[in-house]
Amino acid sequence: MARNDLEARHLDTLDRDLGRFSTLESATALVARPLVAPGIALVFVLLAGLGAMIAFGQANNGMIVVVAAIFGAYMALNIGANDVANNMGPAVGANALTMGGAIVIAAVFETAGALIAGGDVVGTISRGIIDPATIGTEGVFVWAMMAALLASALWVNLATWIGAPVSTTHSVVGGVMGAGIAAAGFAAVNWPTMGMIAASWVISPVLGGLIAAAFLWFIKARIIYRDDKIAAARVWVPVLIGIMGGAFAAYLALKGLSRLISLSFGQALLIGAVLGTAIWLVMIPVIRRQSQGLENRNKSLKVLFGIPLVVSAALLSFAHGANDVANAVGPLAAIVQASSAGSASEAVTIPLWVMLIGAFGLSFGLFLFGPKLIRMVGSQITKLNPMRAYCVSLSAALTVIVASWLGLPVSSTHIAVGAVFGVGFFREWDAARRARAVQGAMPELPRTAPEERRRRKLVRRSHVLTIAAAWVVTVPAAAGLSAGLFLILRAIGG
């Protein structure tokens, strides 16, 4: 009997020990899991440095280029983590895409946009903000670009960590400007270019909001408010998809085919119009089949807008890759050019390995760190459904595409957030207009109290102030950090 009791006690002790080991394994897994993404990011950054060493390591200033490549990879990861919400947040928030599907689509199209169409804006970032001729020696210019790259990466990383919705374009432009001022004074800055960029920061969110509101008005007027919503959708949804496809085709003709054959703007528009018309015709029977058996209500329209929303998200990712790859590799391309040519005033050519660092850095950043921000943008500013999310994505895509074609480094954050606010404020205005119409038709109905009207606001006002404050702070913060880092780097490098 005593022996059985002893065995039972041993078994209890063994169970408790095994329980402790199980708890320890669970705790270890919980601790290790958050380190997986930073670990993969570190490997990517080191591989970028190794690639730069293989491509450039034996040349003059080889180690400087290797360090700059590491900084560029680090910045690209932060851009992917910070800006991915602008691309995929609306689609995920509207439940048109799963998180996994959004990440795959974004990764493919971000990389394609950076590699196919990223060159023009890179030139603006690397040379349009400061004049290399005013800085002096090639070494000083290299240190200035190094400081700008590191400062902007650190600021975006800090802002992402604390959850501040900053613009990566603001960060890198402020970094380049701050380093240029520290290196050669205010005369080094190309103030007319800075004026254009600053104007675009104001114009782009307003334009994005107006375009998004206009598309939402069109959808409401032509589809949602019609007696037979499904019949109206069969007519207009293919048209909307054709518009989107045509815009994408025209942009590819301008940015991709122009490297193979010479195309004028008019010819590119003609290509877009032809392909857009073809897509419209192809989508007519597709939408007709999709709409069979659907009930005549707004909820049914969400099914029909699934395809255009996914396509618009892909289009926006392509445009974002083309525009924002400059933020990661623009200063890096300038460093490589100055180090290889021995002069900061030579025309910038972008090596393939530099563009690969930027393109894959964007994709890795969004894959490793993007889901949290996707959920935030998709649901916290205003409530999105597939129709509203389509308007946001298409508006942001069209605005970024035009800006990238012009070589103007606008902020995709400004455009996308402006489009979200545009949709939300239009909904508020439209709801108030319809309420006034009902009140005028039936004056016996009780009027809504002011407190109730404030409670029914469809856009969170706190986000307006938060985002505006973040936009205002980013440029001076990045510029000040860059100026300080330039002085430190120049002192260390001699």
Side-chain angles (χ1 to χ4, degrees):
M1 192 71 177
R3 182 176 179 179
N4 290 337
D5 292 341
L6 182 62
E7 289 179 351
R9 284 196 296 271
H10 279 301
L11 289 173
D12 289 341
T13 302
L14 180 61
D15 289 340
R16 286 195 298 271
D17 290 340
L18 290 175
R20 292 191 186 100
F21 277 114
S22 178
T23 303
L24 180 61
E25 289 178 358
S26 300
T28 303
L30 289 174
V31 171
R33 194 175 303 161
L35 298 179
V36 172
I40 296 174
L42 178 61
V43 171
F44 171 75
V45 168
L46 294 178
L47 287 176
L50 179 62
M53 185 178 297
I54 294 173
F56 203 87
Q58 303 301 319
N60 185 35
N61 291 329
M63 289 310 298
I64 291 177
V65 173
V66 170
V67 174
I70 291 174
F71 291 168
Y74 173 47
M75 180 60 174
L77 288 170
N78 284 303
I79 293 171
N82 191 285
D83 278 4
V84 66
N86 307 325
N87 309 334
M88 290 296 165
V92 175
N95 296 319
L97 277 175
T98 63
M99 183 65 71
I103 289 175
V104 170
I105 291 174
V108 171
F109 281 87
E110 290 270 353
T111 303
L115 293 178
I116 294 173
D120 289 349
V121 180
V122 167
T124 303
I125 285 288
S126 61
R127 308 186 60 78
I129 298 170
I130 61 173
D131 183 4
T134 64
I135 291 182
T137 66
E138 163 261 337
V140 175
F141 178 77
V142 167
W143 289 123
M145 290 294 103
M146 288 274 283
L149 194 54
L150 180 57
S152 55
L154 289 172
W155 175 254
V156 174
N157 198 166
L158 174 63
T160 303
W161 180 65
I162 65 177
V166 302
S167 163
T168 56
T169 306
H170 275 201
S171 301
V172 74
V173 168
V176 171
M177 182 180 70
I181 292 173
F186 288 92
V189 179
N190 188 336
W191 293 110
T193 299
M194 281 300 301
M196 291 179 59
I197 294 172
S200 74
W201 294 340
V202 177
I203 294 171
S204 56
V206 174
L207 183 60
L210 290 175
I211 293 175
F215 272 103
L216 184 58
W217 168 81
F218 183 86
I219 291 171
K220 283 180 175 290
R222 295 295 180 180
I223 301 175
I224 294 176
Y225 294 154
R226 295 291 178 176
D227 293 334
D228 192 341
K229 305 176 192 300
I230 303 303
R234 288 171 182 165
V235 174
W236 290 111
V237 171
V239 174
L240 294 171
I241 300 176
I243 292 173
M244 189 164 44
F248 193 29
Y251 183 63
L252 280 176
L254 283 169
K255 306 297 287 189
L257 295 180
S258 62
R259 300 186 179 185
L260 303 176
I261 58 176
S262 178
L263 288 173
S264 67
F265 182 63
Q267 290 171 329
L269 288 181
L270 180 61
I271 292 174
V274 171
L275 290 181
T277 302
I279 293 170
W280 164 54
L281 295 174
V282 168
M283 291 306 299
I284 290 174
V286 173
I287 297 299
R288 184 176 292 114
R289 284 195 301 270
Q290 273 192 313
S291 63
Q292 289 178 357
L294 294 180
E295 297 181 12
N296 186 34
R297 55 178 184 163
N298 290 344
K299 188 175 181 180
S300 300
L301 298 176
K302 298 178 181 179
V303 177
L304 303 181
F305 274 86
I307 293 177
L309 181 53
V310 171
V311 175
S312 66
L315 174 60
L316 180 56
S317 290
F318 183 92
H320 178 264
N323 195 74
D324 280 34
V325 69
N327 299 338
V329 302
L332 174 57
I335 292 170
V336 171
Q337 182 68 28
S339 299
S340 60
S343 172
S345 59
E346 298 288 335
V348 175
T349 58
I350 306 164
L352 178 61
W353 65 269
V354 172
M355 291 300 296
L356 287 174
I357 288 175
F360 286 104
L362 293 179
S363 298
F364 272 107
L366 71 90
F367 178 76
L368 296 173
F369 307 107
K372 180 180 178 181
L373 293 177
I374 289 177
R375 295 187 187 98
M376 181 188 70
V377 169
S379 59
Q380 290 188 3
I381 295 176
T382 191
K383 183 175 176 57
L384 296 175
N385 62 20
M387 288 81 79
R388 300 166 199 153
Y390 162 82
C391 296
V392 170
S393 297
L394 180 57
S395 170
L398 290 174
T399 309
V400 172
I401 285 171
V402 172
S404 183
W405 171 62
L406 294 174
L408 188 64
V410 298
S411 166
S412 60
T413 301
H414 281 200
I415 297 169
V417 173
V420 172
F421 279 126
V423 165
F425 285 127
F426 174 80
R427 290 178 60 215
E428 287 187 2
W429 173 83
D430 189 53
R433 178 184 65 84
R434 291 171 65 82
R436 287 194 300 269
V438 171
Q439 190 72 46
M442 293 181 288
E444 67 276 7
L445 292 177
R447 294 184 177 274
T448 305
E451 295 79 7
E452 179 66 15
R453 286 198 298 269
R454 285 193 293 269
R455 191 182 66 81
R456 290 181 181 178
K457 295 298 185 184
L458 302 177
V459 178
R460 295 185 180 179
R461 294 319 195 250
S462 61
H463 286 291
V464 178
L465 298 177
T466 301
I467 292 171
W471 289 353
V472 170
V473 167
T474 293
V475 171
L481 182 59
S482 179
L485 285 173
F486 168 77
L487 297 176
I488 294 172
L489 291 173
R490 188 171 64 174
I492 294 174

